[in-house]
Amino acid sequence: MKSGIIEHGQKLESDRGVEQGGCLSPVMANVYLHYVLDMWFNEKAKKQCQGRASIIRYADDVVFCFSNKGDAEMVQRELKQRLAKFGLAIATEKTRLIPFGRKVEEQAQEFDFLGFTFYMGKNMKGKDTVKLRTSGKKLKQKRQAVKEWLHKHMHVPVAELIKALNKKLVGHYNYYGVTHNTKKMRDFYQYVEWILLKTLQGRSQRDRTNWDKLKKILSKFPIKQPKIKVAIWS
């Protein structure tokens, strides 16, 4: 807690806060926001609401849910004042007040939270339900990350390359493998397959790897297939 902070490449001494990137940082942030936000909402703001109200927070990302629009507007106003008392502020570019749910009078909108886009849709029985898919922003970042990783390790033997790649894919599937997200999972898998082909072709100018050859390689060293890991609404 005495390590200071870095701004614009220069280290500055500080007697407040925790080190950037340290394991203590998210712990202290959660403790801080528990008192600043969670307790304030549950013990004060929620009791002032006319309808149902709830909070879902992960680290410094939070979603408030209200059955009454007036309650949402009231809490949004008071939240700014509450955070200001502790030297905090809402990220206005990431903050929205939107209609959401099957009973809203106007068309429900989408919102992103923890790497997912939440939206309204129909289940297999034709009933309204909340659905999740990998957010476009996060999917773009994931594609770029795997592209850069494959380029960096392009000369690793194929068997070792795919083995290491599969570990990364398993991590991706474990997080994003939730109900209704099959298409986005499949899209990512197909991109990985395509960028792997381009990576193998880039090993040398004489490389003759094409789709047929890649299929033969994958029959021996298969890439992990996407799989739904969590049935959210079951």
Side-chain angles (χ1 to χ4, degrees):
M1 299 181 72
K2 298 180 180 179
S3 60
I5 60 175
I6 295 178
E7 291 186 355
H8 307 296
Q10 292 185 338
K11 182 178 179 179
L12 303 175
E13 297 298 331
S14 175
D15 59 356
R16 296 185 298 173
V18 297
E19 63 174 325
Q20 294 170 312
C23 60
L24 186 61
S25 180
V27 175
M28 294 300 292
N30 269 321
V31 172
Y32 197 64
L33 288 175
H34 172 72
Y35 290 97
V36 173
L37 191 58
D38 304 347
M39 291 183 64
W40 166 81
F41 178 81
N42 288 312
E43 296 180 8
K44 182 180 179 180
K46 187 175 181 178
K47 293 179 180 179
Q48 298 176 8
C49 294
Q50 301 300 311
R52 289 176 295 145
S54 59
I55 179 176
I56 304 95
R57 183 179 66 82
Y58 184 86
D60 61 348
D61 287 322
V62 61
V63 172
F64 295 98
C65 303
F66 303 91
S67 61
N68 185 300
K69 184 179 179 180
D71 291 339
E73 294 171 337
M74 178 271 293
V75 170
Q76 187 178 36
R77 289 192 302 270
E78 295 196 3
L79 177 61
K80 295 178 180 179
Q81 299 175 9
R82 172 67 178 179
L83 294 179
K85 291 181 179 179
F86 298 87
L88 302 175
I90 293 176
T92 55
E93 73 280 3
K94 299 179 181 179
T95 303
R96 290 190 297 156
L97 182 63
I98 65 170
F100 192 84
R102 60 188 176 87
K103 294 184 178 180
V104 296
E105 296 180 358
E106 46 191 315
Q107 185 176 1
Q109 299 179 21
E110 301 177 348
F111 67 92
D112 289 351
F113 186 57
L114 304 181
F116 289 96
T117 295
F118 289 71
Y119 64 104
M120 294 301 301
K122 301 288 186 180
N123 61 19
M124 296 182 66
K125 295 181 180 179
K127 295 183 178 180
D128 293 323
T129 188
V130 178
K131 291 187 172 184
L132 285 76
R133 64 172 181 264
T134 310
S135 72
K137 178 181 178 181
K138 188 59 67 173
L139 185 58
K140 183 178 180 180
Q141 292 175 350
K142 290 286 186 176
R143 286 181 172 182
Q144 184 63 29
V146 75
K147 178 181 179 181
E148 293 176 356
W149 183 87
L150 282 171
H151 180 76
K152 182 178 179 180
H153 298 86
M154 65 189 304
H155 295 295
V156 172
V158 173
E160 295 180 23
L161 181 67
I162 294 179
K163 182 179 179 180
L165 177 62
N166 278 335
K167 290 182 179 180
K168 294 184 175 295
L169 288 176
V170 168
H172 181 87
Y173 300 155
N174 285 344
Y175 187 83
Y176 290 101
V178 301
T179 308
H180 302 131
N181 199 29
T182 301
K183 184 180 184 303
K184 290 296 182 181
M185 295 262 286
R186 175 60 58 176
D187 288 347
F188 185 68
Y189 169 84
Q190 291 175 342
Y191 175 80
V192 170
E193 198 175 45
W194 176 79
I195 201 65
L196 176 61
L197 173 63
K198 294 299 180 182
T199 299
L200 296 178
Q201 289 176 341
R203 289 188 175 203
S204 71
Q205 294 182 346
R206 294 178 295 176
D207 190 281
R208 294 293 183 267
T209 302
N210 53 27
W211 278 112
D212 290 335
K213 185 176 180 180
L214 179 63
K215 293 299 182 183
K216 292 180 180 179
I217 293 174
L218 296 182
S219 66
K220 188 175 182 180
F221 309 107
I223 296 177
K224 291 287 186 180
Q225 294 276 346
K227 183 179 180 181
I228 299 300
K229 298 288 186 176
V230 180
I232 296 180
W233 311 128
S234 62

